[in-house]
Amino acid sequence: MSIPFREGSRRYNVAPTQTIIAIVRGEDGTPEARAMRWGLIPPWAKDAKIAYKMINARAETADQKGSYKRLLATADRRALILADGFYEWLRPEDRKLPRVPFRFTLADGEPFAFAGLWTPSTLDGEPVESATILTTAANALVAAVHDRMPVILAGPDGERAWLSPELDAPAAQALCVPFPAELMGVSPANPLVNKVGAGAVEGPELLAAPD
């Protein structure tokens, strides 16, 4: 995932368990931005390792899963996860070769919001806020690389609706549909995006395939 942070601090390769920017309903009901950990850590979790298994949640079954059901039904636990692109990887026929990354964006290059769920928790006596991104079936563009895609909400109207207390769980799920393929674009990304953590590259060169 790549995130349009303020000028000079943009992220080009955000990996699970790292910091993402989420817009949530504040205490007064107005939207506010918060930094959160990517990978849900439920209040009952005993350690943070579970976050690696909860970076994504299937929208079709979120209302049936104990960790997501209450969050989906509550506007105060739904979130807009900000980004301007996401990566998917194509696995070559020769499994000995590395996967090939592609970056998906909106056709106009503008930032957008994924549909997310979030929860506060406490680990080792310290408060932590974490989030997961809902996924749906891939549209025709993404399907060439992967069979699933993140739920991209349909512009300002969809984003406002996602945070609305008037939406119950079924209505929220109804927003979780594949974003129109014709409104998206795709381009090869630099394989350096495959490396995260120590020694990882973090810059605009990740957005272009190497010569």
Side-chain angles (χ1 to χ4, degrees), residues 88-162:
E88 293 292 355
W89 284 262
L90 183 65
R91 187 177 294 278
E93 291 185 9
D94 184 347
R95 295 304 177 90
K96 296 179 181 180
L97 296 176
R99 296 182 303 164
V100 181
F102 289 85
R103 182 170 181 262
F104 293 88
T105 64
L106 298 193
D108 58 12
E110 289 297 307
F112 53 84
F114 297 126
L117 305 173
W118 76 281
T119 188
S121 188
T122 302
L123 284 177
D124 299 324
E126 296 294 328
V128 59
E129 294 181 339
S130 59
T132 187
I133 296 172
L134 292 169
T135 67
T136 185
N139 63 26
L141 184 69
V142 180
V145 179
H146 199 280
D147 63 348
R148 303 285 297 176
M149 67 178 292
V151 173
I152 298 175
L153 293 165
D157 289 342
E159 293 163 9
R160 281 191 292 268
W162 186 249

Side-chain angles (χ1 to χ4, degrees), residues 23-25 29-31 75-76 78-80 82 113-115 152-168 171-172 175:
I23 304 296
V24 301
R25 283 173 54 85
T30 60
D76 288 345
R78 295 194 291 264
L80 307 175
L82 303 185
F114 297 126
I152 298 175
L153 293 165
D157 289 342
E159 293 163 9
R160 281 191 292 268
W162 186 249
L163 297 183
S164 171
E166 298 179 4
L167 246 66
D168 58 10
L175 295 178

Side-chain angles (χ1 to χ4, degrees), residues 17-73:
T17 76
Q18 293 183 349
T19 300
I20 56 177
I21 297 300
I23 304 296
V24 301
R25 283 173 54 85
E27 293 184 0
D28 62 356
T30 60
E32 65 177 46
R34 296 187 190 176
M36 294 189 182
R37 183 186 179 111
W38 180 16
L40 200 72
I41 302 175
W44 46 261
K46 296 181 178 180
D47 59 55
K49 293 180 180 178
I50 194 171
Y52 287 98
K53 299 179 180 180
M54 303 183 76
I55 60 173
N56 295 327
R58 294 177 71 95
E60 300 92 330
T61 58
D63 63 334
Q64 304 168 30
K65 304 294 184 179
S67 297
Y68 307 127
K69 183 177 180 179
R70 180 181 60 85
L71 306 182
L72 180 68

